[in-house]
Amino acid sequence: MDANSVTAICATVIAVASLAVSITEARASRRHNFQSVRPLLSLDCFRLNSGMAGIRIRNAGLGPAIIRVTTLYLDGEELGPWEKQVVDPLRDTFAVWPNFSSLRPGKPIPVGQELIILAVEEYDPARDAEFWAAVTQRLRIHVQYESIYGNERQEAWFEGSPPHRNSLNWQQGGAAGSSTDSDAQAEPSQSLQ
């Protein structure tokens, strides 16, 4: 082998190695771009000191969430999508007509936004007991969403709230450090990713 052949072989090896590094970098960059705009929705029930109580959805992710499919369940039975014509018959059953926001397919939820999807403005424990029981025990909401890239579908569930206990566990011989705040204003639900 002469010097020109060795130089040509080395140049070819370097070119192939450069191509492999470029492809790997492009894939890593694309993966990073997808992750940098990934939304993370959560749904929970709440009661505020201002008197408002209901269900809200929040985007705690890094990018906007685009709603694709929603499903409302009442007592385990599927009612349909979280839209006005499906939710209005349920709203009719409460003492006070709750405010409502739909989650139609294609609706974006920007980063950091909190959207109240069902709520009464001035919650009264006696008057709105049936509303609160529905929110915390009877309603379930399933939301499928994706990022602006539309590359993967994610989901979040609203599953009510665990039963609220009025007594402190540690006073009754429970585990050290476990307690229940009787003045708690928010009762979160589970959120699945």
Side-chain angles (χ1 to χ4, degrees):
M1 259 199 225
D2 64 349
N4 287 336
S5 296
V6 171
T7 303
I9 291 171
C10 289
T12 302
V13 169
I14 290 171
V16 169
S18 295
L19 178 63
V21 167
S22 295
I23 290 170
T24 303
E25 278 297 312
R27 286 181 179 167
S29 178
R30 185 174 180 193
R31 196 173 321 120
H32 171 73
N33 290 343
F34 284 142
Q35 295 298 326
S36 68
V37 294
R38 189 174 191 181
L40 177 62
L41 293 184
S42 66
L43 295 116
D44 67 327
C45 54
F46 67 94
R47 284 191 302 195
L48 302 177
N49 290 333
S50 65
M52 184 174 277
I55 303 171
R56 63 186 164 201
I57 186 169
R58 292 187 241 188
N59 184 355
L62 299 173
I66 310 299
I67 301 296
R68 291 298 169 215
V69 177
T70 59
T71 309
L72 170 64
Y73 298 87
L74 178 65
D75 297 326
E77 181 181 332
E78 182 177 330
L79 298 182
W82 185 262
E83 293 184 11
K84 188 172 178 10
Q85 68 272 15
V86 174
V87 179
D88 274 356
L90 174 66
R91 293 166 72 196
D92 276 336
T93 65
F94 303 127
V96 173
W97 183 261
N99 294 329
F100 166 79
S101 292
S102 69
L103 294 174
R104 290 194 177 117
K107 181 175 187 157
I109 300 180
V111 175
Q113 182 174 351
E114 174 180 294
L115 178 64
I116 296 172
I117 60 173
L118 185 70
V120 292
E121 299 254 342
E122 296 177 14
Y123 175 77
D124 177 83
R127 179 194 67 204
D128 298 320
E130 188 175 337
F131 170 78
W132 192 246
V135 165
T136 59
Q137 299 165 16
R138 300 178 61 207
L139 291 178
R140 303 294 175 261
I141 305 167
H142 181 229
V143 178
Q144 293 181 16
Y145 62 98
E146 57 192 18
S147 72
I148 56 174
Y149 283 112
N151 57 331
E152 65 178 328
R153 196 161 278 198
Q154 300 170 21
E155 58 183 26
W157 280 91
F158 171 75
E159 296 185 330
S161 176
H164 185 69
R165 291 175 273 157
N166 291 323
S167 61
L168 297 176
N169 287 340
W170 61 270
Q171 289 178 336
Q172 298 173 355
S178 66
S179 67
T180 304
D181 183 2
S182 62
D183 295 328
Q185 294 300 313
E187 298 181 22
S189 71
Q190 297 176 351
S191 172
L192 298 177
Q193 165 73 355

